[in-house]
Amino acid sequence: MTLPRHVGIIMDGNGRWAQSRGKPRLEGHRVGADSVRDITRASREIGIEALTLYAFSSQNWLRPIDEVTGLMQLLREFLIDERSEILDNQIRLEAIGDIEKLPPFVTEPLHELRAASANNTKMVLTLALSYGGRESIARAVRELGRDVAAGKLAAETIDVDTFDRYLPTHGLPPVDLLIRTSGEQRISNFLLWEIAYAELMFIDVQWPEFRREHLRTCLDQYAARERRFGLTSAQLTSDVES
Ligand code: FPP
């Protein structure tokens, strides 16, 4: 079966899942954190090389303060509770986004686990935190502009590969599969540049209920799709035959 090398997930529907059960929204995030644990474990077992999770967007700061604080606490708990699981399973933890905006009680265990797991090679788990795809591109443009101004880079040599080197996802395999839970069919400022050729999957399951069996269904569907990368179906077949 063809496996995606890199899976991105927009973990949507926590609030609706909780509210439809008469529970506070934060309960949805809490059960959603259990889904994060299960999907991380399953991805590692299946052999996915990179898993990138949209855990907190640049725009999520505008949510009610109690929800933002609750989400930050769940992140801290995840980083502390999963530390040994991540290290024992040779997973490298990464983070993308405006990390400096996160409170120290999150950045401290985050930096510690990033450093402790830096040499792990079995899977990269990237948490997108205070992340926005447009913000990420704007940051890359700022850094690239600085290098042009400093004479380190000639503007006329900039191509797709040059630009890619300025993105925080540089070095990860291309995103092959993007999953969004909850039935909404939007990208919501997630990996905009990186999903150029990703297969998109919108699943009608809320994130707190999304577990490894749903991931397996997505992987089966992925394996059945034909990825053409701008070529024709016939060209792909002749490539395989030649
Ligand atoms: C979107 O659902 C989800 C989020 C904004 C947060 C995702 C966070 C977690 C799954 C838990 C903590 C993360 C980790 C990595 C341990 P929503 O609240 O927008 O749902 P709604 O659209 O139904 O309101």
Side-chain angles (χ1 to χ4, degrees):
M1 191 173 93
T2 314
L3 264 188
R5 294 181 65 199
H6 185 171
V7 177
I9 308 186
I10 302 174
M11 310 184 288
D12 193 21
N14 292 351
R16 275 165 288 165
W17 179 87
Q19 282 167 333
S20 68
R21 284 160 181 77
K23 295 174 188 219
R25 292 177 57 82
L26 204 49
E27 184 58 20
H29 296 313
R30 203 167 288 130
V31 180
D34 292 338
S35 301
V36 171
R37 290 175 168 89
D38 189 47
I39 295 305
T40 302
R41 272 176 207 157
S43 301
R44 166 71 177 86
E45 283 164 29
I46 291 166
I48 288 165
E49 288 173 50
L51 175 68
T52 300
L53 302 176
Y54 203 6
F56 194 84
S57 76
S58 306
Q59 290 69 33
N60 286 156
W61 291 113
L62 299 173
R63 290 195 174 192
I65 182 73
D66 288 355
E67 185 169 339
V68 171
T69 309
L71 276 167
M72 292 299 141
Q73 272 157 359
L74 286 172
L75 281 167
R76 177 182 162 81
E77 276 167 30
F78 175 82
L79 294 165
I80 292 171
D81 297 350
E82 295 304 296
R83 186 180 186 281
S84 54
E85 178 83 18
I86 286 174
L87 295 178
D88 290 351
N89 282 292
Q90 281 291 309
I91 296 171
R92 174 157 68 91
L93 182 87
E94 273 301 339
I96 54 172
D98 293 327
I99 305 302
E100 60 282 357
K101 289 192 179 158
L102 301 168
F105 71 87
V106 175
T107 52
E108 278 161 18
L110 179 66
H111 292 324
E112 194 280 327
L113 191 49
R114 262 174 115 169
S117 67
N119 294 322
N120 291 350
T121 53
K122 293 293 184 199
M123 185 176 93
V124 186
L125 170 64
T126 304
L127 300 179
L129 298 169
S130 191
Y131 175 85
R134 291 194 295 194
E135 286 78 358
S136 172
I137 290 170
R139 186 191 276 238
V141 170
R142 271 198 304 280
E143 286 170 16
L144 186 145
R146 249 182 250 132
D147 283 352
V148 171
K152 292 185 198 162
L153 186 68
E156 50 283 358
T157 65
I158 298 168
D159 58 13
V160 167
D161 291 335
T162 320
F163 185 72
D164 197 81
R165 286 202 290 276
Y166 286 83
L167 288 170
T169 45
H170 181 67
L172 294 174
V175 180
D176 293 317
L177 173 62
L178 177 76
I179 300 170
R180 181 178 186 137
T181 58
S182 94
E184 305 288 352
Q185 302 196 3
R186 287 191 287 274
I187 301 301
S188 299
N189 204 15
F190 195 34
L191 307 166
L192 298 179
W193 170 278
E194 294 85 346
I195 59 167
Y197 281 102
E199 292 297 318
L200 308 183
M201 241 167 245
F202 300 100
I203 310 297
D204 211 358
V205 172
Q206 310 289 21
W207 178 252
E209 290 191 337
F210 189 91
R211 297 300 159 98
R212 59 183 66 207
E213 57 273 21
H214 300 104
L215 177 66
R216 285 201 178 277
T217 305
C218 292
L219 296 177
D220 287 345
Q221 285 183 26
Y222 172 85
R225 290 201 189 172
E226 181 185 66
R227 302 186 73 199
R228 290 197 291 274
F229 300 97
L231 303 179
T232 67
S233 198
Q235 281 177 305
L236 293 176
T237 317
S238 65
D239 277 355
V240 169
E241 283 167 359
S242 63

